[in-house]
Amino acid sequence: AFVVPLVTEAAGNIMSPPSSSIPVAGVWKRLLEEDPLGDLETADRSTLVLWTQSQQSGLYVDLRLPENSPGRSIEAAAIVKPRPSALAANGIPVPATKEVLAPHVEILARQKSFAGVIDFQTGDTSDGSALKEDAVLRQYVQSVQDMDPSQRQQDGLIALCTCLWNRHMDYQPPTGGLDVGVCASQPARQLDGSLLLRETGDDASYAEDWLCQPPTEQGPFLALELVSEKNVEGARCGYWVRAGDQFAYAVGHPKTVAMANLLQCHPDAARIKECTGKSLHDAIQSLSSDPLVQLDLLTSYVCVTGAVSSNGSWTIQHSTNPELVGCTLFDSSIGNGKTATNVCSHLQAAQSNGKDTSDLVEQIVKGNGESTVKRIWRVKEMTDCTLPLSNAQ
């Protein structure tokens, strides 16, 4: 696996990339899913799926919003008032918002998101079922292998490979199995520079077609892992990845009931992971029959994706929680005469014994009322960019 130790420099500085890089780095948008493999008639072409992959550290974030999901767009999210403090991921304290979202519990429970570290291996390391059963994958593999290696590298094509997406956090209950795909790209890029990737399950049960969003594969890249929240390490998992001008940010359900209480989440939010093999809908139904409680369980996990503007604003475009769509994750220009509107948090260098640390950064998240939530992140990768540290420090 390409998991490369970080060469640390002062927080906020540009860092040089290691020599090894993951060929599937960038932001990928899914075009379709065949489940089962070969079933094009009922293939899912409507779910919005974004996979944001770092270049060297292996960190990734995946977000999947079905059609009619209220967090899928700014238009769909207009049913609720934006609430930047929803990034705290500890339920919905606004009764009016709960009443609006209660009829949407079923679609919110069908959403998916997971994050962790990818294990990328060259070639097919599975039992060969994917290549045997998927003619499209075989065609891609053969066409790319027949190319001149220098031309293949120049075009940034992806030869036969195997990806294991280690899910360290999941919006849904654990599946009980591994997420392994055998992949290869088309032998040529699209006219706009995008690249089509075929992913087939190692057991040949499904296939997904992915389109890389150019030029995200060229960077810059940033990847961070959550260390602590409210000064407690391991309260929950979190990952944050930037590729090009796109980003994904996710924090998971609390790991234990004690951690749920500390984070001011509903205590049953920690029990979702115990419902292995169940759908999230069935899991929350087993924990509570009250849709207002179910909303608190669902919103104990947050995943957002969006775009980074040239002026330093990180705008949220899609989210598991619609209250965050249209909000700003960070705005590093605040403090230069710019006022904050619907900004979820700000970032500052973390300190230990009064000194800035080299690879840690402190995120101050808006909480309910006048409260704040402190999250400490560890920088795992930073190439050709800087951390969006606030000017308001």
Side-chain angles (χ1 to χ4, degrees):
F2 290 106
V3 181
V4 182
L6 179 74
V7 180
T8 59
E9 297 182 10
N13 289 350
I14 296 174
M15 304 182 72
S16 300
S19 57
S20 298
S21 63
I22 300 171
V24 293
V27 177
W28 298 83
K29 184 175 183 179
R30 197 179 74 184
L31 300 181
L32 65 83
E33 179 187 34
E34 300 171 20
D35 188 4
L37 174 66
D39 187 357
L40 289 171
E41 186 175 344
T42 63
D44 180 4
R45 295 178 172 86
S46 63
T47 301
L48 173 67
V49 183
L50 295 171
W51 158 31
T52 306
Q53 179 63 58
S54 62
Q55 187 182 49
Q56 286 100 28
S57 62
L59 272 59
Y60 75 90
V61 176
D62 189 297
L63 174 64
R64 307 184 176 209
L65 301 178
E67 196 171 19
N68 300 323
S69 171
R72 182 167 165 144
S73 67
I74 190 72
E75 294 79 14
I79 62 173
V80 295
K81 184 179 179 180
R83 184 172 65 91
S85 60
L87 194 71
N90 56 4
I92 302 176
V94 184
T97 300
K98 278 190 170 181
E99 292 297 332
V100 170
L101 289 179
H104 300 271
V105 163
E106 184 173 351
I107 192 72
L108 291 170
R110 286 175 47 208
Q111 298 177 150
K112 295 181 180 179
S113 172
F114 49 92
V117 181
I118 196 173
D119 184 343
F120 179 92
Q121 301 290 339
T122 301
D124 181 2
T125 62
S126 71
D127 64 5
S129 296
L131 276 172
K132 179 181 178 182
E133 301 296 334
D134 189 356
V136 176
L137 180 66
R138 286 200 308 274
Q139 179 186 353
Y140 286 8
V141 169
Q142 191 61 56
S143 297
V144 172
Q145 286 181 343
D146 288 344
M147 295 181 65
D148 178 78
S150 60
Q151 184 66 46
R152 183 172 65 212
Q153 183 175 10
Q154 180 180 330
D155 293 346
L157 304 181
I158 300 171
L160 178 66
C161 60
T162 305
C163 296
L164 164 61
W165 288 271
N166 294 290
R167 299 189 183 190
H168 294 170
M169 53 183 276
D170 204 323
Y171 182 72
Q172 295 279 333
T175 64
L178 297 177
D179 186 359
V180 182
V182 182
C183 309
S185 74
Q186 275 190 330
R189 288 185 174 269
Q190 311 283 318
L191 292 177
D192 64 356
S194 58
L195 184 67
L196 185 67
L197 182 77
R198 179 75 165 184
E199 173 201 337
T200 307
D202 64 332
D203 59 356
S205 62
Y206 74 90
E208 292 175 297
D209 285 347
W210 298 90
L211 196 65
C212 189
Q213 307 298 288
T216 59
E217 75 277 14
Q218 299 175 21
F221 291 99
L222 180 66
L224 299 93
E225 182 177 16
L226 186 63
V227 175
S228 67
E229 183 167 338
K230 290 192 171 182
N231 296 317
V232 176
E233 293 190 14
R236 59 169 137 207
C237 289
Y239 295 93
W240 162 25
V241 180
R242 174 184 177 176
D245 62 354
Q246 304 292 309
F247 71 88
Y249 172 108
V251 292
H253 301 294
K255 291 185 177 181
T256 66
V257 171
M259 292 300 101
N261 290 329
L262 171 77
L263 301 176
Q264 297 181 309
C265 296
H266 193 286
D268 283 342
R271 297 189 170 101
I272 291 174
K273 68 178 183 301
E274 299 171 5
C275 302
T276 301
K278 287 185 178 181
S279 68
L280 182 56
H281 178 268
D282 289 347
I284 60 173
Q285 287 281 357
S286 70
L287 294 170
S288 175
S289 59
D290 184 348
L292 302 185
V293 173
Q294 292 171 1
L295 283 170
D296 284 336
L297 299 178
L298 292 170
T299 52
S300 68
Y301 179 118
V302 161
C303 179
V304 302
T305 65
V308 184
S309 68
S310 58
N311 66 3
S313 178
W314 296 52
T315 303
I316 297 170
Q317 298 171 327
H318 317 288
S319 174
T320 52
N321 186 337
E323 296 176 284
L324 287 166
V325 177
C327 293
T328 303
L329 182 63
F330 306 108
D331 194 332
S332 57
S333 65
I334 291 174
N336 288 336
K338 185 173 181 178
T339 58
T341 303
N342 289 336
V343 177
C344 300
S345 65
H346 70 268
L347 214 61
Q348 59 193 33
Q351 294 192 342
S352 177
N353 298 323
K355 297 181 180 179
D356 289 351
T357 56
S358 60
D359 63 342
L360 297 179
V361 65
E362 196 172 281
Q363 181 189 17
I364 306 301
V365 180
K366 282 187 178 179
N368 298 326
E370 298 299 317
S371 66
T372 59
V373 175
K374 183 171 73 173
R375 290 177 180 152
I376 301 295
W377 297 82
R378 175 167 283 111
V379 181
K380 306 294 286 186
E381 172 183 346
M382 185 160 60
T383 306
D384 298 330
C385 66
T386 58
L387 287 165
L389 300 179
S390 172
N391 290 319
Q393 294 184 57

